[in-house]
């Protein structure tokens, strides 16, 4: 197999040839067809997350086909197309797993972070955490759904029944969830970097009723806002934009420090909450809703060996929609 490997903090990924991996009991080997590039991959590459296991193969928006099944696996057979998400394993024994909150498991494994991911020709996955995908749609368009879509869906659910919804950061997750929200009958307000006219026009094409810079106030108070951009300064901006009793959802796994802000922005029962990971039920729910809503991902495809260049483009905000690597 070939893989782009991160060997040390902030080091460039290097292409390596490795022996084909063998699945252990309960695991499957997947031949990767496409792997989306997520902002969390950038946080891994930039050593912004704790306890990264080096060397590591990044990537957790994986679509591929099972080409070897480990002992004890009855849920998948060779040839099945599957999706492998961020959550790669949970212990099943901690209080959170037992209470139906496996996204908060005390001893989890995360694809492309604490176990090898999809910037490769092949990868290994716990069969219980690989979603069956069927044959509808192509690998490239589906790949961003495996994290941008799944985490986006969880954040949308946590935003409640907000009729007027703000989306801060109109990238991979933002453009997917905007389509779901419009399909649900919500009014979407899109916030981008100042001067990012392309992203603002893109948001309007997808049905946003308003699009502007993240430091602007929308034309009407919002019922809720979701922050996808990893910028802590957006928290007070979003709180300022939501009405009394409104909710702000921080959807990223990493965010820069939140600056101090006056209590009056939080007062009047505004809520500030975060999203952590996902559950398998989130995945099943979202993968059922996405085709019903007619979600179409905007993707740009790159060869696997250009992973470093793609991460650099993502860091500079030069990806419209989502980037996808193909081995």
């Amino acid at each position: 197999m070939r893989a782009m490997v991160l060997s040390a903090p902030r080091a460039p990924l290097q292409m390596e040839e490795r022996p084909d991996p063998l699945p252990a009991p309960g695991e499957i080997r997947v031949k990767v067809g496409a792997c989306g590039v997520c902002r969390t991959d950038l946080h891994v590459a930039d050593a912004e997350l704790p306890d990264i296991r080096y060397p590591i193969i990044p990537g957790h928006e994986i679509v591929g086909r099972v080409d070897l099944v480990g002992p004890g696996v009855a849920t998948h057979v060779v040839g099945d197309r599957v999706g492998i998400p961020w959550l790669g394993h949970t212990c099943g024994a901690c209080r959170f797993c037992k209470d139906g909150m496996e996204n908060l498991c005390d001893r989890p494994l995360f694809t492309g972070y604490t176990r090898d991911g999809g910037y490769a020709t092949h990868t290994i996955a716990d069969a219980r955490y690989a979603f069956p995908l069927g044959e509808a749609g192509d690998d490239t368009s589906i790949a961003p759904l495996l994290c941008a879509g799944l985490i986006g869906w969880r954040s949308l659910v946590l935003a409640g029944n907000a009729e007027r919804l703000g989306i801060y950061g109109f990238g991979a997750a933002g453009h997917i969830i905007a389509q779901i929200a419009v399909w649900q009958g919500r009014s979407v307000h899109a916030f981008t970097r100042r001067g990012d006219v392309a992203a603002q026009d893109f948001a309007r094409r997808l049905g946003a009723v308003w699009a502007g810079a993240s430091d602007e106030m929308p034309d009407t108070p919002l019922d809720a806002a979701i922050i996808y951009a990893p910028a802590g300064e957006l928290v007070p901006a979003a709180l300022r934009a939501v009405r009394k009793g409104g909710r702000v959802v921080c959807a990223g796994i990493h965010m820069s420090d939140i600056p101090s802000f006056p209590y009056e922005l939080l007062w009047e029962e505004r809520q500030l909450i975060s999203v952590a990971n996902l559950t398998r039920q989130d995945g099943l729910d979202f993968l059922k809703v996405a085709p019903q809503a007619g979600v179409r991902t905007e993707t740009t495809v790159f060869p696997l060996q250009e992973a470093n260049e793609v991460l650099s483009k993502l860091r500079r905000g030069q990806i419209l929609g989502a980037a996808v690597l193909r081995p």
Side-chain angles (χ1 to χ4, degrees):
M1 64 172 280
R2 293 179 299 113
M4 293 295 287
V5 180
L6 179 68
S7 59
R10 292 173 291 278
L13 277 61
Q14 299 288 335
M15 180 69 78
E16 291 186 7
E17 297 274 349
R18 293 184 171 186
D20 290 344
L22 297 175
E27 295 181 334
I28 53 176
R29 187 175 73 192
V30 174
K31 184 176 181 181
V32 178
C35 184
V37 179
C38 177
R39 183 163 289 278
T40 303
D41 300 339
L42 194 57
H43 296 319
V44 171
D46 291 344
E48 293 174 326
L49 302 183
D51 305 320
I52 299 172
R53 298 182 183 178
Y54 301 101
I56 188 71
I57 301 171
H60 57 274
E61 296 180 336
I62 306 166
V63 178
R65 292 192 181 273
V66 178
D67 78 343
L68 193 61
V69 175
V73 174
T75 52
H76 303 288
V77 298
V78 171
D80 283 354
R81 188 165 69 152
V82 297
I84 303 172
W86 170 249
L87 186 66
H89 174 84
T90 56
C91 71
C94 70
R95 60 173 296 186
F96 298 104
C97 286
K98 290 181 176 179
D99 287 345
M101 296 183 287
E102 66 180 7
N103 61 306
L104 301 178
C105 174
D106 285 334
R107 294 178 293 278
L109 292 176
F110 298 112
T111 310
Y113 172 34
T114 57
R115 67 180 299 162
D116 283 335
Y119 286 16
T121 57
H122 296 78
T123 192
I124 296 292
D126 185 323
R128 299 170 300 169
Y129 295 80
F131 296 116
L133 294 178
E135 297 301 324
D138 64 89
D139 294 355
T140 298
S141 63
I142 292 172
L145 302 181
L146 271 299
C147 184
L150 293 182
I151 295 299
W153 171 252
R154 186 173 180 86
S155 65
L156 182 62
V157 171
L158 288 178
N161 296 320
E163 179 183 344
R164 297 181 300 276
L165 178 71
I167 294 178
Y168 285 78
F170 207 81
H175 95 284
I176 292 170
I177 294 311
Q179 295 176 66
I180 298 282
V182 169
W183 173 73
Q184 292 175 332
R186 306 175 193 242
S187 297
V188 171
H189 296 67
F191 298 80
T192 73
R193 298 185 187 192
R194 176 161 291 281
D196 194 347
V197 176
Q200 292 169 15
D201 288 344
F202 183 38
R204 294 187 190 97
R205 291 200 304 273
L206 293 179
V209 299
W210 182 93
S214 58
D215 58 356
E216 294 182 53
M217 289 292 287
D219 55 356
T220 185
L222 305 173
D223 298 314
I226 305 172
I227 301 175
Y228 292 116
E233 64 269 20
L234 294 179
V235 171
L239 285 169
R240 188 174 290 111
V242 299
R243 60 162 173 78
K244 293 182 285 187
R247 181 177 295 179
V248 173
V249 182
C250 300
I253 192 172
H254 172 81
M255 180 180 276
S256 61
D257 288 350
I258 300 171
S260 63
F261 56 86
Y263 175 64
E264 64 183 358
L265 293 184
L266 188 62
W267 189 56
E268 296 175 316
E269 300 194 352
R270 292 175 179 86
Q271 301 174 54
L272 178 63
I273 61 175
S274 69
V275 170
N277 313 313
L278 69 147
T279 68
R280 284 171 286 179
Q281 190 60 50
D282 291 329
L284 296 173
D285 293 344
F286 173 70
L287 292 172
K288 184 183 298 183
V289 166
Q292 295 174 10
V295 171
R296 297 289 181 270
T297 53
E298 179 83 11
T299 58
T300 305
V301 179
F302 300 86
L304 179 62
Q305 62 267 25
E306 293 183 12
N308 288 305
E309 290 84 349
V310 177
L311 290 172
S312 294
K313 287 178 180 289
L314 184 61
R315 189 181 288 109
R316 296 192 297 266
Q318 295 176 334
I319 300 292
L320 188 65
V324 177
L325 298 175
R326 295 198 64 122

